[in-house]
Amino acid sequence: MSQPSPQDHARARHHSGTDADAGPGVDTGTDARAEAEAEARPGAEEKGDGLRERLVRTGVALVDAEGAQALTLREIARRAGVSHGAPRRWFPTHLDLLSAIAREGFAELAARVAEADREADRTDAGPRERVETLTRVYLGYAAERRGMYELMFRHDLLESGRLGLRETSLPLFARLAALVAELRPGTDAVTAAGALWANLHGLAQLRHWGSLSLATGSDDPAPFVRAALDAHLGPAEPTR
């Protein structure tokens, strides 16, 4: 019986889809790559709720449970049940995925502010009362959604302009500035609103770290909010 020729070996390798003699410089990982690409494609198993939305939802749950530092691409992919390369189809960079998650946080905060505005409309509240309500909403969100709150105000996300994140966040600040302009006509409302916001943000941070109660003996934000509002907006008119 004749021995198989080198050409016979080559044909056998071609038909079997393997190359036992391939060296380290030959790419034989087509199966793994095809699997990752298949996971990245939105398929029928998603049932209309695509991979992109699943990754964002997973990221939101992860940031709530473990904080912003836990939001790695690999960990989000693992919890979403896909390969670590799958998110790249929808989010080419880590920053893109973080921005999409932060956008969910800004959308929720905006919804809370809108609901507070509707209630203020029903009660015919004045601008000072509306600012007070806005501060309560803001500080309440910071306390309840701590991980998301920290992610939302990361400078690299806001500066990058990824996914229109600034277009989602800036209207909230514009709302505060508009109320300040009503209360202090003729002043630089943007600067005054920025100073007030910085005060509130610092209050939220110090309260979370426990430094506020350590220094002042109180964890109740109400008296500090009143002091901040009086400092930046002037004393409130006495109630009748």
Side-chain angles (χ1 to χ4, degrees), residues 20-87:
D21 298 328
V26 178
D27 180 9
T28 61
T30 53
D31 290 343
R33 186 165 60 249
E35 180 183 354
E37 290 173 352
E39 286 185 353
R41 289 194 297 270
E45 71 277 8
E46 296 290 344
K47 301 185 185 301
D49 188 15
L51 177 59
R52 183 187 190 284
E53 289 73 20
R54 178 148 56 105
L55 290 166
V56 173
R57 287 200 313 271
T58 300
V60 170
L62 181 57
V63 76
D64 283 339
E66 299 186 21
Q69 72 282 353
L71 292 175
T72 65
L73 274 174
R74 186 177 293 272
E75 181 60 14
I76 293 172
R78 186 186 73 79
R79 295 196 181 208
V82 299
S83 71
H84 68 269

Side-chain angles (χ1 to χ4, degrees), residues 126-212:
R128 174 75 181 218
E129 293 173 275
R130 290 174 186 266
V131 171
E132 291 173 356
T133 299
L134 188 58
T135 62
R136 287 195 296 271
V137 170
Y138 183 83
L139 291 175
Y141 188 88
E144 294 168 26
R145 303 290 306 279
R146 186 65 207 176
M148 179 65 84
Y149 176 79
E150 290 182 350
L151 176 67
M152 287 161 58
F153 294 104
R154 272 182 48 168
H155 177 72
D156 57 338
L157 297 185
L158 293 170
E159 184 183 40
S160 71
R162 300 281 187 176
L163 304 179
L165 197 58
R166 281 176 290 189
E167 287 76 5
T168 308
S169 59
L170 290 180
L172 294 171
F173 178 74
R175 177 62 182 144
L176 176 61
L179 290 170
V180 171
E182 286 189 64
L183 287 165
R184 299 186 60 187
T187 63
D188 183 349
V190 170
T191 298
L196 175 57
W197 176 37
N199 208 155
L200 294 173
H201 192 78
L203 178 57
Q205 295 288 69
L206 292 172
R207 188 183 182 202
H208 171 70
W209 294 329
S211 303
L212 186 67

